[in-house]
């Protein structure tokens, strides 16, 4: 799971790996995003903060 929020005061969201990649594709439609690493890099360049969270229950 990943936690993502924008640097402009948005609220954090928890996304799975696949949802993170789909979100990055929607934010950066002209970038070729195929992995989590590429998705995180593109989102950080677009002004988002992404961190890894582990849900331990």
């Amino acid at each position: 799971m990943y936690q993502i929020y924008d640097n402009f005061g948005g609220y954090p969201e928890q996304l799975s790996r696949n949802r993170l990649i789909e979100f990055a594709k929607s934010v950066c439609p002209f970038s070729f995003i195929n992995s989590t690493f590429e998705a995180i890099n593109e989102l950080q360049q677009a002004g988002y903060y992404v961190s890894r969270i582990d849900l331990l229950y």
Side-chain angles (χ1 to χ4, degrees):
M1 295 292 289
Y2 295 88
Q3 186 171 21
I4 180 171
Y5 58 92
D6 59 18
N7 293 333
F8 311 111
Y11 59 93
E13 294 183 54
Q14 287 79 28
L15 302 175
S16 67
R17 176 187 176 276
N18 292 334
R19 185 68 189 109
L20 178 74
I21 293 172
E22 292 301 319
F23 181 71
K25 287 180 182 179
S26 69
V27 171
C28 309
F30 300 109
S31 298
F32 182 72
I33 299 171
N34 201 13
S35 68
T36 306
F37 179 75
E38 294 168 350
I40 291 172
N41 284 339
E42 290 294 330
L43 287 171
Q44 287 175 341
Q45 290 177 5
Y48 289 87
Y49 178 75
V50 182
S51 63
R52 172 81 191 217
I53 59 171
D54 290 322
L55 301 176
L56 301 175
Y57 292 106

